[in-house]
Amino acid sequence: TSISDLRYSPDGSSVFYLRSVAGQSQLMLLQSGATAARQLTPDGASWYEPSWSHDGKKIVYWSEATGSKTLQSIDLSTNRILSLKEINPGPAAVGSRVCPIWSADSAEVYFSSQSGNWSRIYRLNLATQETRLMSNPNFPISYFCPHLIQGEFK
């Protein structure tokens, strides 16, 4: 068993982490005052690169539970998991990254998508499901991740 991707909630009252057991990772949540962590994701798949929403109510991550790389989120008040967007259909390349992050208002998710040596940043509007390319499409690098500075994509 190993632990990775430890992140405190924006208000510091909870922490999530990935627990890897037998080659699969599970998203775990430990709340202040709790004696044990709660498993948020189901067994049978792995979950990667989780990120808190700015209000601490949701977590976005990606998985291959459906057989291809898919952005998903979990609402911590209901434990409801939503599939947001399929990315790069088919199995993920070794070492590929998605780096999902929430917009400041949690209405959008920014993520990286890779094809061969090309990496691009996209913005997914959760209300309309519109995906918009945010980076230069002709920028060949192995991968790069989106970053928000003062709540805005830079």
Side-chain angles (χ1 to χ4, degrees), residues 37-114:
R38 173 172 58 123
Q39 183 174 322
L40 298 175
T41 51
D43 291 328
S46 286
W47 318 90
Y48 306 97
E49 301 179 309
S51 178
W52 286 103
S53 61
H54 295 278
D55 62 8
K57 295 179 180 180
K58 297 178 183 177
I59 298 171
V60 66
Y61 52 87
W62 67 274
S63 84
E64 294 178 297
T66 62
S68 64
K69 196 184 293 187
T70 304
L71 274 178
Q72 296 183 325
S73 71
I74 184 164
D75 182 319
L76 296 175
S77 65
T78 63
N79 291 328
R80 185 170 171 215
I81 295 174
L82 294 175
S83 287
L84 304 177
K85 172 96 178 148
E86 184 179 54
I87 307 165
N88 295 346
V94 174
S96 65
R97 310 245 343 242
V98 176
C99 309
I101 59 171
W102 295 94
S103 62
D105 62 2
S106 299
E108 299 169 322
V109 172
Y110 292 87
F111 64 94
S112 177
S113 182
Q114 194 173 332

